[in-house]
Amino acid sequence: MSEERFGEFVLVRRHEEGRVAELVLDRPKAMNAVSTGMARSIAGACEALEADRGVRVVVLTSTHERAFCVGADLKERNSLSDAELVRQRPVARGAYTGVLELAVPTVAAVHGFALGGGFELALACDLIVADRTAVVGLPEVSVGVIPGGGGTQLLPRRVGAARAAELIFSARRVEAGEARELGLVDELVEAGRDREEALALASRIAAHSPVGLRAAKRALRLGHGLDLRAGLEVEDAAWRAVAFSVDRAEGVAAFNEKRKPVWPGE
C-alpha cells in the first residue's frame, strides 16, 4: 500500500497494485469539517485520481473514530465576509463535484456522523456502506442555509422527491437502521467494519474490466431521469464505446479459455 498526501487534511492510499484508491478525510481535530483548504485538497486529490488510468474504484473513508464528516466548517464560515463567502463558494463546490464526477465507481465508507456536506460527499458516491454507528442527515435549513454540495439533487434521486423533502425540511438526523430502510445507505454492516467492507466491495468491483466499469457508470449517470427511449440511446452509445475495445476481446477470450481475464484497460 502506498500513500500520497494532498495538503494537511486529505490523503490517498492505493491498494491492489493501485487498482483501488482510498480517498481519506483526515482532519480529526475538527471531525473532518470541510474547510476551504480541505475542500481544495479533496478537489486536488480527485483530479489526480481522475488522471490515473490505473485506478478502477475509489473508496471514500475517514480517519476519525466517531465521524465520517460533520459537513462544512461553520467556525470558518462564521469568520467570512459576504465577499469572502462568494469567493469561497466555487472552492467548496469543487470538492463535491470532484467526487461526483469521478469516472470510476465510487464507494463511501460511513461511520458516526455524516451530516450536511459530509453526507453530501457520501451521496456523491455510487454506493454507501455504513456501519451501525452511522447518523446521517442534511440539517442545513436549521442554520439558515440549504444543502449546497448536491444534496437537494442527489437525495431525491436516492429516496424520491417527497421523502427527500421531508428529510431536508425537517433537518432531522437519521440513525443507521432507518437510513438503510429508507435507502439513504446501501449496505449496513457491524460497527467498525464500514471501511473493511467498503474496501472488500471495491476489490470485487476492481476485478472487472476498467473500460466496462467506466462505460457502465457513464450510462447509469447520464441515463438517470431520462425517458426510456432516450435512456436506451445513452446505453447504446456506452455499449458501442466498449464493444470494440481490447478489454471486450480479452473478456470474451478469457471466458472461452476458462481463465481469469488480464484487463488491458483499453
Side-chain angles (χ1 to χ4, degrees):
M1 181 179 70
S2 65
E3 288 190 357
E4 179 181 4
R5 187 162 286 277
F6 291 81
E8 186 179 356
F9 304 127
V10 174
L11 62 91
V12 170
R13 297 176 180 141
R14 285 178 166 79
H15 306 264
E16 309 242 348
E17 299 179 337
R19 292 187 294 271
V20 175
E22 185 181 359
L23 177 57
V24 186
L25 306 178
D26 186 32
R27 195 186 179 200
K29 291 183 180 180
M31 300 182 81
N32 289 329
V34 182
S35 63
T36 302
M38 188 174 178
R40 285 198 182 94
S41 295
I42 294 171
C46 289
E47 184 177 354
L49 290 170
E50 185 69 9
D52 186 347
R53 298 295 292 186
V55 173
R56 300 183 189 177
V57 188
V58 173
V59 180
L60 184 59
T61 69
S62 160
T63 59
H64 197 283
E65 292 182 356
R66 295 188 295 110
F68 173 72
C69 174
V70 294
D73 186 340
L74 296 185
K75 290 183 179 179
E76 180 191 64
R77 292 281 179 90
N78 192 49
S79 70
L80 299 179
S81 67
D82 288 352
E84 288 170 332
L85 186 60
V86 169
R87 289 194 295 271
Q88 194 258 5
R89 174 61 176 162
V91 178
R93 285 195 70 187
Y96 301 102
T97 57
V99 175
L100 183 64
E101 293 177 359
L102 285 168
V104 298
T106 50
V107 183
V110 174
H111 61 268
F113 297 112
L115 302 172
F119 188 39
E120 288 174 303
L121 285 172
L123 289 171
C125 294
D126 300 300
L127 297 165
I128 302 174
V129 176
D131 82 358
R132 294 190 179 278
T133 70
V135 179
V136 305
L138 297 176
E140 284 86 346
V141 297
S142 69
V143 293
V145 291
I146 69 166
T152 65
Q153 305 306 304
L154 295 171
L155 189 59
R157 284 168 167 77
R158 269 191 165 266
V159 300
R163 178 64 69 190
E166 183 268 319
L167 292 167
I168 291 172
F169 295 162
S170 69
R172 71 183 179 95
R173 300 180 179 190
V174 182
E175 296 187 359
E178 184 184 4
R180 178 65 183 89
E181 291 176 3
L182 296 178
L184 297 172
V185 304
D186 302 299
E187 186 174 341
L188 187 60
V189 300
E190 293 304 313
R193 292 184 57 85
D194 54 296
R195 176 177 178 269
E196 179 182 350
E197 295 293 343
L199 286 170
L201 173 58
S203 179
R204 295 194 295 273
I205 294 170
H208 303 304
S209 160
V211 172
L213 289 171
R214 288 170 177 262
K217 176 166 179 172
R218 187 165 62 250
L220 284 164
R221 285 286 178 91
L222 294 179
H224 187 90
L226 300 179
D227 65 66
L228 180 58
R229 185 180 296 275
L232 290 173
E233 291 302 316
V234 168
E235 181 182 82
D236 186 66
W239 180 88
R240 291 175 184 278
V242 301
F244 309 103
S245 69
V246 184
D247 267 17
R248 193 276 309 171
E250 167 62 10
V252 172
F255 177 84
N256 285 290
E257 294 165 14
K258 296 181 172 56
R259 60 173 174 83
K260 290 185 178 180
V262 180
W263 301 112
E266 57 186 33

